Amino acid sequence: MGIQEVEILVYGAEQRCASCVNLPSSKETTEWLTAALERKYKDQPCVVRYVDIFNPTDEVEKVFAERVIEEELFYPIVVIKGEIIAEGNPRLKDIYKVMEQYGYKPTE
């Protein structure tokens, strides 16, 4: 089985959520996650994209962003193919596990 290319969405906002004040911002998490995945899955296609919950760009993002706000979820929220993989402080181990379910192979 080959790789099913995934787009990882990191939902969040400029302002950190109240419970996440001491954690990296959603944008910082997006940059950190991009770098970690590029190292782990070198030369394998993967897109990590930040989505501002107060300014989503399409209808799917808008619906999920409203859910984040209404349910008071802790952001950043890492989503792969519509599934929440991490909320608040994401763990790479959890994200790697999902990536490998889609056929990604570690290059380390």
Side-chain angles (χ1 to χ4, degrees), residues 6-62:
V6 298
E7 178 180 53
I8 299 172
L9 301 177
V10 180
Y11 285 84
E14 291 287 330
Q15 184 177 354
R16 293 176 170 103
C17 67
S19 298
C20 306
V21 169
N22 295 322
L23 299 175
S25 72
S26 299
K27 282 187 176 181
E28 290 168 337
T29 297
T30 302
E31 292 167 4
W32 164 78
L33 187 54
T34 299
L37 292 172
E38 286 174 354
R39 278 192 308 273
K40 182 85 169 175
Y41 305 109
K42 195 174 202 75
D43 300 322
Q44 296 173 67
C46 175
V47 175
V48 181
R49 194 163 54 84
Y50 169 74
V51 178
D52 187 324
I53 59 173
F54 298 110
N55 192 22
T57 59
D58 66 30
E59 196 57 35
V60 172
E61 291 175 6
K62 182 179 179 194

Side-chain angles (χ1 to χ4, degrees), residues 46-102:
C46 175
V47 175
V48 181
R49 194 163 54 84
Y50 169 74
V51 178
D52 187 324
I53 59 173
F54 298 110
N55 192 22
T57 59
D58 66 30
E59 196 57 35
V60 172
E61 291 175 6
K62 182 179 179 194
V63 168
F64 192 85
E66 288 171 356
R67 177 179 168 201
V68 171
I69 295 165
E70 288 171 12
E71 295 180 20
E72 298 180 356
L73 300 175
F74 297 127
Y75 46 85
I77 298 173
V78 178
V79 176
I80 298 176
K81 296 196 183 262
E83 178 185 351
I84 295 175
I85 307 304
E87 179 183 345
N89 189 15
R91 293 181 45 210
L92 282 174
K93 184 177 167 184
D94 297 337
I95 296 166
Y96 291 160
K97 182 178 176 185
V98 174
M99 297 294 288
E100 289 167 19
Q101 290 173 355
Y102 288 103

